[in-house]
Amino acid sequence: QAKEEGRNSVRFFVEEMNEEIQKRKEILEDIAIALEADQFELFLQPLINLKNDKIVGAEALIRWQHPQKGFISPGAFIPIAEQSNMINRIGAWVIREVCRLINQMDSIGLPPITIALNISPVQFKRENIFESMIKITTKEKVSPKRIECEITESTTMENVERVIQIMHSLRGAGFKLAIDDFGTGYSSLSYLKQFPINKIKIDRSFIADIETDDDSASIAKSIIQLGHSMNLTVLAEGVETEQQQQWLINHNCDLLQGFFRAKPMPFEQFVEWVKGTC
Ligand code: C2E
Ligand code: MG
Ligand code: MG
Ligand code: MG
């Protein structure tokens, strides 16, 4: 009896695993098609200066409207793409598209804001991300100064020496660098000191309960102080309420990003938003 049950659960396990593998394979095939068929789009979310309420930049966030399956969030397909070389293809598309949008903004006469893009830890590990950034921005005639690379804290964990070296190359070429989701990874402070970054982004999990949870509030305060002591700009992610914004103003945080002020939006809408606030 027990043996029979064991065998059955093994069989279910194998079936589930096969299904999982099948699903992944299908998504990877769909991503390849999506790249060809232009199904991806970058939404832009404003980054706002808490001192003067002005927009200082925007984060580019990938969106995928699948013709049959509908909207698929980056949280669902990026991790799958990261398990293959597909993430490099998506990454290259993102850089090209960011350049295109910057050129478009300039041609309309918007202020020369910085656009932040997310670089997957896998891109740091596997490809020569510095070379592709240079190649693409040169070809598209976009100054690296207009682009900020967001790197999650976990990226910086493995292979720190190599990561620091790539960071220096990027900074040397003029790109800006931000540590994303700060506080959720385990980067040691001694490394943080060596990173040639200009910004840290406090993870939104701390901002979410900043008024109700003393620990989150203490962590946020410490990150703001730490950042400022290192001459870094500190941004709070995921600000959803006026109370959270006020807390951040009271505690001298520099920048804000969140639904309370603006959601990520398609390019045309973003242009209108910027025109309306400048
Ligand atoms: P992230 O880089 O930390 O991006 C911020 C995420 O927080 C975005 O989710 C954004 O829509 C969301 N967000 C912004 N304000 C608020 C708020 O007030 N409340 C809440 N609840 N959420 C807010 P999104 O667009 O779903 O992206 C999720 C993650 O997927 C990103 O986290 C990033 O790690 C990854 N991602 C997105 N676009 C790209 C991309 O082009 N390339 C790569 N490699 N990763 C990407
Ligand atoms: Mg980000
Ligand atoms: Mg983040
Ligand atoms: Mg995140």
Side-chain angles (χ1 to χ4, degrees):
Q1 181 71 36
K3 210 171 174 186
E4 186 67 15
E5 262 172 34
R7 216 177 276 140
N8 274 338
S9 64
V10 165
R11 193 170 66 220
F12 284 131
F13 178 72
V14 169
E15 274 170 16
E16 256 173 48
M17 217 167 68
N18 283 336
E19 247 172 65
E20 198 52 40
I21 290 168
Q22 196 51 43
K23 246 178 32 200
R24 275 167 200 278
K25 213 179 124 221
E26 208 178 290
I27 290 198
L28 286 175
E29 286 164 3
D30 284 0
I31 292 174
I33 295 169
L35 284 164
E36 296 293 323
D38 218 24
Q39 288 167 12
F40 291 117
E41 186 179 354
L42 290 182
F43 274 28
L44 297 173
Q45 185 178 31
L47 314 181
I48 296 162
N49 186 339
L50 283 161
K51 307 264 154 36
N52 60 15
D53 234 27
K54 289 213 163 76
I55 181 170
V56 295
E59 177 173 6
L61 296 155
I62 197 165
R63 294 292 178 264
W64 183 10
Q65 190 64 43
H66 190 289
Q68 282 87 38
K69 295 169 187 159
F71 174 74
I72 304 176
S73 76
F77 72 86
I78 293 284
I80 295 173
E82 282 175 337
Q83 292 176 6
S84 85
N85 277 334
M86 199 56 87
I87 192 61
N88 298 346
R89 293 182 57 193
I90 294 176
W93 179 84
V94 169
I95 302 165
R96 270 199 308 275
E97 185 66 6
V98 161
C99 290
R100 198 180 68 83
L101 296 182
I102 289 174
N103 283 330
Q104 225 172 312
M105 280 183 217
D106 290 354
S107 71
I108 320 172
L110 289 196
I113 56 169
T114 301
I115 303 297
L117 54 82
N118 292 283
I119 297 184
S120 156
V122 179
Q123 288 176 275
F124 253 84
K125 247 178 273 166
R126 278 200 227 130
E127 76 172 330
N128 194 333
I129 183 69
F130 172 67
E131 242 165 49
S132 16
M133 294 284 291
I134 291 292
K135 236 204 234 112
I136 297 170
T137 49
T138 306
K139 179 151 183 279
E140 305 294 329
K141 301 191 174 63
V142 166
S143 162
K145 293 200 178 80
R146 300 288 295 281
I147 297 178
E148 185 163 74
C149 308
E150 294 193 1
I151 306 155
T152 52
E153 206 183 344
S154 60
T155 316
T156 56
M157 272 296 294
E158 300 162 56
N159 222 337
V160 186
E161 298 308 324
R162 178 177 148 83
V163 170
I164 292 177
Q165 196 195 327
I166 299 172
M167 282 179 161
H168 275 290
S169 303
L170 287 167
R171 280 292 269 180
F175 293 100
K176 294 176 181 145
L177 286 180
I179 300 286
D180 204 351
D181 305 340
F182 191 82
T184 58
Y186 307 91
S187 67
S188 100
L189 296 182
S190 68
Y191 280 127
L192 191 64
K193 214 175 62 182
Q194 295 180 53
F195 295 154
I197 53 173
N198 52 281
K199 182 186 288 173
I200 44 184
K201 301 183 75 173
I202 308 174
D203 190 70
R204 71 177 149 91
S205 58
F206 303 114
I207 309 301
D209 50 12
I210 209 162
E211 295 154 294
T212 50
D213 185 306
D214 288 344
D215 291 335
S216 288
S218 306
I219 291 169
K221 271 188 238 174
S222 311
I223 297 177
I224 294 168
Q225 281 168 8
L226 173 74
H228 287 166
S229 74
M230 295 171 70
N231 275 323
L232 302 173
T233 301
V234 181
L235 177 146
E237 290 189 300
V239 178
E240 294 185 350
T241 68
E242 181 161 17
Q243 288 79 1
Q244 290 165 354
Q245 173 176 283
Q246 194 52 53
W247 190 99
L248 293 161
I249 293 172
N250 294 345
H251 292 85
N252 207 22
C253 188
D254 305 297
L255 308 178
L256 155 167
Q257 175 179 5
F259 294 171
F260 175 60
R261 299 303 296 273
K263 289 195 169 169
M265 45 197 146
F267 181 70
E268 287 72 24
Q269 201 181 322
F270 175 78
V271 169
E272 291 311 310
W273 190 92
V274 175
K275 282 183 183 165
T277 54
C278 284

